[in-house]
Amino acid sequence: MLFKLTGDHNLYLFFQKRLHSIILTSLALLFLITPKILSNEISDSSYVRESTNNIPKRIYNAEKLINTKPVIDGELDDNCWENLGEWQSDFTQREPRSGSSPTEKTAVKILYDEENLYVAIRAYDKEPGKIDRRSSRRDEMGGDEVGIALDSYFDHRTAYEFDISAAGIQLDAIPLNDGTSWDMNWNAVWYAKVALEDSAWTAEMCIPFSQLRFAEKKEQIWGLHVWRWINRKQEEDDWQYIPKDSPGMVHLYGELHGIKGIGDPVKFEVLPYLVSKVNTFKKEEGNPFATGKRNSFSAGLDGKLGVSSNLTMDFTINPDFGQVEADPSSINLTSFETFYSEKRPFFLEGKDILDFGISDGDQMFYSRRIGHKPAYTPEVNSGEFVRIPESTSILSALKLTGKTSNGISLGFISSLTAKENAEISSGNSQFKKTAEPLTHYFVGRFQKEYNEGNTIWGGMLTAVNRFFSEEYLKFINNAAYSAGVDLRHQWDNKTYYFNLKATLSNIKGDQQSIRNLQISPVHNFQRLDAEHLKYDSLRTSISGYGGMFSFGKEGNGRLRFSGSITFRSPGLELNDIGYLRQADLIIQRFAIGYVVNTPTDLFLNYSLYFNQHSDWDFGGNYIQTGYSLETSSQFHNFWGAQLNLSQEFPFLDTRVLRGGPAVKYTGDWKLYSGIWTDRTKKLSMELYYTDIIYEDQISRYTSLAPGITIRTSDRFNMSASINYSSTINDLQYIQTISWSSANSYLMGKMTQKTLGLTFRMEYYLTPELSVQYYGSPFVSAGKYSNFKKISNQPRAEKYSDRFHRFSDKEICFQEKSNSYFIDENSDGIFDYDISKPDFNFKEFRSNLVIRYEYKAGSTIYFIWSQGRTGFENNGEFSWGKDMRKLYDVYPDNIFLIKLNHWFSI
């Protein structure tokens, strides 16, 4: 395809000429070297493919304390550390030179009694003045660290990890999926301190058995992993050597023997809390709900009950999430729902067992559905006022997680959310209307392991039931159910894998709610150009199905590849308790890559990947195809860089017209690049750049995202990042107008500029007392021009045939009404008008949190949150002017004190 290019599109010509050559050359190289890689003909002086079967399995025999317990102060001067048990060293380097001898010596000793496991680690250093003792938030890596991980189920898949930094910052996590990912939200109650010696730093830990889950046996055998991180060298040293290119970690752990007679550590832990809150906001005359100030006091309870030695029940009554950081600001001009990450501790901890992802972010359980904003907003007349809760109250929630002795992993959540009312003031009277009905949520998940964890199959069930009788709430589904099954199998030392997943859903409701569901952007059953979709206004239920098959090679060598097929039928619906971006879709993916984890003359590590994808709908219509080439590398000075080049071919957008026909969009070329400096230094920087050039020769997207982190001392650091983007979209959806017995789909050329700044400051007075600040101003402005309507040929080959551009005689703007008037049939009479679509959205969000852990597991918080939001429809972008206007917006402030106290029974 040839274009006459000018200006910035010379860059497009550059990409068009060279990207094909780059990708084709890379593909040729990959296919040429693949047979040699598989036959081990390609190697370098530092790389030899290791068989994990040939790596000796280390065993540590723990000894039981006879007399006095050690004092947990970091000083390894207790009698037991001197005279009892064995110090083991002989660690092996995993990073950056996998399999090499470590540059520093590390030694570990493990003891136990009836209630606790005691761990001592001595991290020698020939340059003790360079030990990195920077402070950080709990559960955030920073500086030099040591740690221990325990596979107490001995299932070779999951473990409990306890780490501590040289500054005394504790980190606990659960390695998931054989150690390929971590749940950093798990918080145990355990004790650890550090100290300095002349040529080492030391760590001392006490880990209560009540914080672990294991089967009742006379003698325990657990998987054991002990590790050390030397930050200035970016070096990891392991007690049990685990090659860097292994497809997992937990199945390669060493073993901990000798623990006998510890019994059943069933415990009952409770964490009651008290919260006092003051909310200040702008006062509105005559509005009884906007008095300018609101005080509240609340109490609640979180708890854990050890149902057995390997099953735990978490529960919460009237949970408070006041210390949770606000969601980032964003502008969504698409038909798709914005996905926000979960941040609430109750739903974060143990979320791995409840995970049932389908593909591309879709999932059967999306915990933010529980406690969402009420669905109904009453219409009010002039002089009336309404107040609606910002979220639905969670009356109670129960969560049961764990693993049975025969290898069945279980996870259940049962949650009840309150009936929420909208308060309406009319004159001298006030009344209430239901804004969200009483709702029960249920999620059940199980997985069964076979063949030493190499084969896993499982299933999930979800149910949502709402209880209401109000006519005006019949747009809400009465009930939603879904079920899924999955299977994963690995072989050849977990080098290769395949996954199978299948999902079913069924939604029940009134005719109105099912009509709304059918015409929602997820489904768009009303599309006249989709013969495979059938809209039925009389339906009271809808069902669908989905599935996924994937396969690949994920380790034990430099060659990696993966492929997958995912499908979602038109009727699949998960959004009552899950997240589904789009139904009626078939997705094919393939990737092949070459990963080098051993240092070369130039790199510490690097990778090269080629990716390809194609999509169709269930009517067999081709949606899109694209491919990309991705590279990433780290240099010997610990700087890093990445470069991605991709092309998307012309594609069909079946959602852009919000139920109208599919529109053909031109293809695009994308460049994404990033570079970052050594993050171990006191000053580090990063820069990311994205440029997307579209083949319509008009549209373009560019973004620039620099960032900087400054650490002035081990206790204080601050960071700032900027995200600036410029968008030109020649076919941006505006509105659908029903006119003359047909729909007119109005589009325009949108020019949008967005600038967001995120600033963080952290000061740690002690490992238990910290001050953290987060602030984020955000401005996005968009201006529309070149208004047009979609023609009756939205899939035409010629770009200009897909729409009709309104001339000056067909459209005019009237300042008085702030609207555009359109004469669509050119008879000299305006047929309809639309409000000016330009926008200027600005927002500022901030959190100041003072956190003091006055006792293990017990914390007091002092919190100040502020929000300012402004909107205009002028479409003008001026950062300085917008910031001044945002400063003039009356702030919404929350001042909060929260106290909780942990104790066990």
Side-chain angles (χ1 to χ4, degrees):
M1 189 178 298
L2 298 176
F3 294 92
K4 185 178 179 181
L5 303 173
T6 59
D8 286 338
H9 285 273
N10 288 325
L11 185 58
Y12 166 79
L13 184 60
F14 173 85
F15 283 132
Q16 187 187 43
K17 288 181 176 179
R18 289 164 175 79
L19 188 54
H20 278 106
S21 300
I22 293 171
I23 292 178
L24 290 174
T25 301
S26 301
L27 270 176
L29 287 172
L30 282 171
F31 283 107
L32 283 171
I33 65 176
T34 295
K36 297 184 178 182
I37 295 171
L38 294 174
S39 62
N40 290 324
E41 291 181 17
I42 289 183
S43 64
D44 57 53
S45 58
S46 60
Y47 175 75
V48 176
R49 178 174 175 178
E50 298 170 280
S51 171
T52 53
N53 290 332
N54 298 328
I55 298 175
K57 182 76 70 174
R58 297 192 69 178
I59 295 175
Y60 190 98
N61 287 286
E63 291 200 25
K64 188 174 183 178
L65 283 173
I66 301 173
N67 297 312
T68 308
K69 299 179 181 181
V71 177
I72 306 302
D73 56 7
E75 304 280 352
L76 304 184
D77 53 4
D78 302 271
N79 185 62
C80 61
W81 300 128
E82 296 291 337
N83 302 315
L84 192 63
E86 175 190 9
W87 284 100
Q88 284 195 10
S89 54
D90 295 328
F91 281 52
T92 305
Q93 191 176 149
R94 186 170 192 262
E95 293 186 45
R97 291 170 174 80
S98 185
S100 299
S101 299
T103 62
E104 305 288 352
K105 180 183 176 181
T106 308
V108 60
K109 180 180 283 192
I110 302 174
L111 306 172
Y112 75 99
D113 59 19
E114 288 82 359
E115 295 181 343
N116 306 298
L117 190 75
Y118 301 94
V119 181
I121 300 177
R122 178 171 279 115
Y124 294 90
D125 201 309
K126 293 186 285 290
E127 299 178 281
K130 294 184 178 181
I131 295 172
D132 194 338
R133 304 183 68 215
R134 70 181 68 183
S135 294
S136 64
R137 289 177 285 182
R138 175 167 175 153
D139 291 337
E140 183 177 277
M141 291 188 67
D144 287 12
E145 293 189 0
V146 294
I148 181 173
L150 302 166
D151 176 11
S152 55
Y153 283 127
F154 205 51
D155 62 2
H156 311 295
R157 293 192 66 245
T158 58
Y160 298 92
E161 183 168 333
F162 304 87
D163 307 326
I164 189 167
S165 73
I169 305 299
Q170 291 176 249
L171 183 153
D172 38 33
I174 297 181
L176 307 173
N177 302 318
D178 197 13
T180 57
S181 60
W182 284 262
D183 179 2
M184 305 296 293
N185 302 292
W186 176 66
N187 288 310
V189 178
W190 57 291
Y191 310 90
K193 293 291 182 180
V194 297
L196 287 176
E197 296 180 346
D198 290 340
S199 59
W201 68 278
T202 56
E204 194 172 20
M205 304 179 188
C206 171
I207 302 170
F209 291 129
S210 63
Q211 303 303 298
L212 307 175
R213 299 293 170 258
F214 49 87
E216 286 192 68
K217 296 179 180 178
K218 290 183 179 180
E219 179 177 355
Q220 300 289 331
I221 297 179
W222 296 345
L224 175 64
H225 176 57
V226 185
W227 72 289
R228 176 190 183 180
W229 179 257
I230 307 173
N231 198 46
R232 69 182 186 275
K233 301 179 181 181
Q234 295 287 281
E235 179 181 330
E236 178 183 338
D237 301 325
D238 293 350
W239 170 76
Q240 170 67 64
Y241 174 51
I242 301 174
K244 177 67 175 175
D245 68 353
S246 62
M249 294 187 66
V250 179
H251 75 283
L252 298 175
Y253 281 6
E255 295 181 4
L256 177 63
H257 292 198
I259 300 178
K260 302 176 182 178
I262 60 175
D264 186 349
V266 175
K267 293 290 183 180
F268 181 48
E269 303 174 7
V270 290
L271 188 70
Y273 79 84
L274 300 173
V275 172
S276 178
K277 181 167 69 174
V278 177
N279 184 196
T280 65
F281 45 87
K282 187 176 182 179
K283 183 177 181 180
E284 297 180 23
E285 293 298 329
N287 185 349
F289 305 126
T291 59
K293 186 178 180 180
R294 187 181 302 118
N295 301 323
S296 64
F297 177 84
S298 61
L301 182 71
D302 297 326
K304 289 179 182 289
L305 173 63
V307 179
S308 68
S309 62
N310 49 12
L311 288 174
T312 302
M313 178 179 287
D314 295 81
F315 60 90
T316 182
I317 301 173
N318 191 31
D320 173 75
F321 305 119
Q323 72 273 23
V324 173
E325 189 175 282
D327 291 317
S329 301
S330 64
I331 286 285
N332 186 353
L333 299 177
T334 73
S335 61
F336 301 111
E337 177 189 7
T338 300
F339 182 91
Y340 291 110
S341 300
E342 180 61 88
K343 299 180 180 180
R344 299 170 295 180
F346 176 83
F347 294 106
L348 283 171
E349 187 172 317
K351 67 177 183 178
D352 60 297
I353 185 59
L354 295 167
D355 176 61
F356 196 104
I358 302 174
S359 178
D360 294 351
D362 293 341
Q363 47 199 269
M364 285 185 63
F365 176 48
Y366 177 39
S367 57
R368 290 193 61 144
R369 301 295 184 202
I370 303 176
H372 63 79
K373 183 178 180 180
Y376 176 67
T377 300
E379 294 184 3
V380 295
N381 300 315
S382 177
E384 294 182 333
F385 302 94
V386 63
R387 179 170 66 187
I388 303 173
E390 294 182 358
S391 60
T392 305
S393 300
I394 300 175
L395 298 177
S396 63
L398 293 175
K399 179 172 60 178
L400 178 68
T401 58
K403 178 174 289 190
T404 66
S405 57
N406 59 354
I408 300 178
S409 298
L410 298 172
F412 298 96
I413 281 185
S414 177
S415 179
L416 185 67
T417 59
K419 174 184 177 181
E420 296 289 354
N421 293 313
E423 300 176 76
I424 302 170
S425 173
S426 180
N428 295 323
S429 65
Q430 289 189 11
F431 59 96
K432 297 179 179 179
K433 294 189 74 174
T434 303
E436 182 71 27
L438 181 72
T439 305
H440 180 257
Y441 298 88
F442 172 81
V443 181
R445 177 78 158 116
F446 79 92
Q447 288 183 307
K448 170 65 175 173
E449 301 171 10
Y450 299 93
N451 189 23
E452 297 183 344
N454 288 309
T455 303
I456 305 168
W457 77 278
M460 175 175 266
L461 293 171
T462 73
V464 179
N465 290 281
R466 299 183 176 93
F467 307 95
F468 63 94
S469 58
E470 295 87 346
E471 281 290 324
Y472 59 85
L473 291 181
K474 287 190 174 181
F475 70 94
I476 302 175
N477 299 327
N478 291 333
Y481 307 102
S482 67
V485 293
D486 59 343
L487 171 68
R488 178 177 176 86
H489 179 66
Q490 296 170 283
W491 68 96
D492 192 12
N493 292 323
K494 300 184 183 291
T495 302
Y496 302 94
Y497 71 90
F498 74 79
N499 295 318
L500 289 172
K501 292 188 178 182
T503 309
L504 299 173
S505 68
N506 177 255
I507 311 299
K508 300 180 183 297
D510 186 79
Q511 292 178 3
Q512 181 183 353
S513 71
I514 303 303
R515 284 197 298 267
N516 292 342
L517 193 61
Q518 292 179 83
I519 65 175
S520 71
V522 176
H523 302 281
N524 281 352
F525 276 23
Q526 74 275 34
R527 280 179 49 209
L528 297 178
D529 66 334
E531 296 181 357
H532 64 289
L533 301 177
K534 305 299 180 184
Y535 173 72
D536 183 353
S537 62
L538 302 180
R539 296 177 69 167
T540 57
S541 68
I542 188 171
S543 299
Y545 60 90
M548 185 269 287
F549 168 72
S550 66
F551 65 92
K553 178 180 183 291
E554 55 186 359
N556 288 335
R558 291 177 171 176
L559 179 69
R560 314 288 168 87
F561 61 83
S562 63
S564 66
I565 295 287
T566 304
F567 57 91
R568 309 178 186 101
S569 77
L572 181 66
E573 174 57 40
L574 303 174
N575 287 314
D576 285 82
I577 197 171
Y579 181 87
L580 180 66
R581 179 180 171 90
Q582 180 179 341
D584 186 25
L585 197 60
I586 301 170
I587 307 169
Q588 172 269 321
R589 300 281 188 268
F590 179 75
I592 184 169
Y594 188 63
V595 179
V596 178
N597 287 315
T598 51
T600 65
D601 291 340
L602 182 59
F603 302 110
L604 277 178
N605 55 73
Y606 66 91
S607 64
L608 172 68
Y609 272 90
F610 173 79
N611 307 285
Q612 173 273 331
H613 71 91
S614 294
D615 300 350
W616 300 265
D617 66 17
F618 267 64
N621 297 298
Y622 158 79
I623 303 297
Q624 65 178 353
T625 290
Y627 56 83
S628 65
L629 182 68
E630 302 178 0
T631 65
S632 180
S633 61
Q634 185 181 26
F635 302 95
H636 286 278
N637 61 357
F638 303 135
W639 285 44
Q642 63 184 108
L643 176 66
N644 301 344
L645 301 171
S646 64
Q647 181 186 17
E648 291 290 334
F649 292 94
F651 65 94
L652 285 182
D653 193 329
T654 61
R655 296 301 189 264
V656 65
L657 297 186
R658 278 62 167 175
V663 178
K664 186 175 183 178
Y665 275 74
T666 58
D668 64 72
W669 296 80
K670 179 179 180 180
L671 166 69
Y672 175 79
S673 59
I675 186 171
W676 54 92
T677 66
D678 180 359
R679 289 167 176 162
T680 70
K681 301 296 185 182
K682 291 188 175 182
L683 172 65
S684 63
M685 294 178 288
E686 60 186 19
L687 178 64
Y688 298 92
Y689 174 74
T690 303
D691 197 356
I692 306 177
I693 300 174
Y694 297 83
E695 293 177 359
D696 62 16
Q697 304 186 57
I698 300 171
S699 303
R700 186 169 183 177
Y701 172 84
T702 305
S703 73
L704 190 67
I708 185 172
T709 299
I710 301 173
R711 180 168 55 91
T712 60
S713 70
D714 287 337
R715 294 185 177 183
F716 180 82
N717 71 79
M718 57 183 177
S719 64
S721 61
I722 299 172
N723 196 324
Y724 171 79
S725 65
S726 173
T727 303
I728 300 174
N729 186 349
D730 192 49
L731 273 182
Q732 174 64 49
Y733 175 81
I734 298 175
Q735 191 174 342
T736 300
I737 299 292
S738 296
W739 175 80
S740 186
S741 70
N743 287 333
S744 292
Y745 302 99
L746 303 185
M747 315 289 281
K749 176 184 177 182
M750 182 195 67
T751 302
Q752 179 185 9
K753 293 183 179 180
T754 301
L755 181 60
L757 171 66
T758 300
F759 176 78
R760 297 181 185 272
M761 183 277 293
E762 299 171 348
Y763 180 55
Y764 304 91
L765 288 84
T766 69
E768 297 79 25
L769 178 60
S770 64
V771 181
Q772 300 168 6
Y773 175 77
Y774 160 86
S776 181
F778 174 88
V779 176
S780 185
K783 184 179 285 293
Y784 289 80
S785 62
N786 295 335
F787 293 88
K788 49 185 83 78
K789 73 166 187 175
I790 294 298
S791 71
N792 58 3
Q793 303 179 66
R795 305 188 189 190
E797 283 300 315
K798 188 177 180 182
Y799 177 68
S800 59
D801 289 342
R802 301 169 196 166
F803 54 83
H804 166 73
R805 193 185 306 273
F806 292 121
S807 67
D808 291 342
K809 293 181 179 180
E810 295 173 305
I811 186 170
C812 75
F813 178 71
Q814 293 189 5
E815 193 76 36
K816 185 176 181 180
S817 62
N818 201 35
S819 299
Y820 286 93
F821 287 79
I822 298 174
D823 176 14
E824 189 168 310
N825 58 8
S826 301
D827 63 356
I829 301 174
F830 291 123
D831 301 307
Y832 53 84
D833 64 277
I834 61 171
S835 298
K836 183 181 179 182
D838 297 355
F839 62 88
N840 178 294
F841 175 81
K842 37 191 169 284
E843 187 171 57
F844 175 73
R845 293 181 175 182
S846 68
N847 278 47
L848 176 66
V849 179
I850 301 174
R851 178 185 182 276
Y852 176 50
E853 188 174 0
Y854 60 92
K855 174 190 172 186
S858 304
T859 312
I860 183 170
Y861 296 91
F862 299 89
I863 301 168
W864 170 35
S865 297
Q866 184 180 101
R868 300 170 186 252
T869 302
F871 181 84
E872 299 173 275
N873 70 341
N874 56 25
E876 301 294 335
F877 178 88
S878 173
W879 177 258
K881 185 178 180 181
D882 288 327
M883 285 297 97
R884 289 191 293 272
K885 288 185 176 181
L886 190 57
Y887 181 79
D888 292 336
V889 173
Y890 198 93
D892 189 327
N893 291 297
I894 294 177
F895 301 92
L896 180 149
I897 299 176
K898 177 178 179 179
L899 172 69
N900 60 35
H901 186 84
W902 177 89
F903 58 93
S904 63
I905 300 175

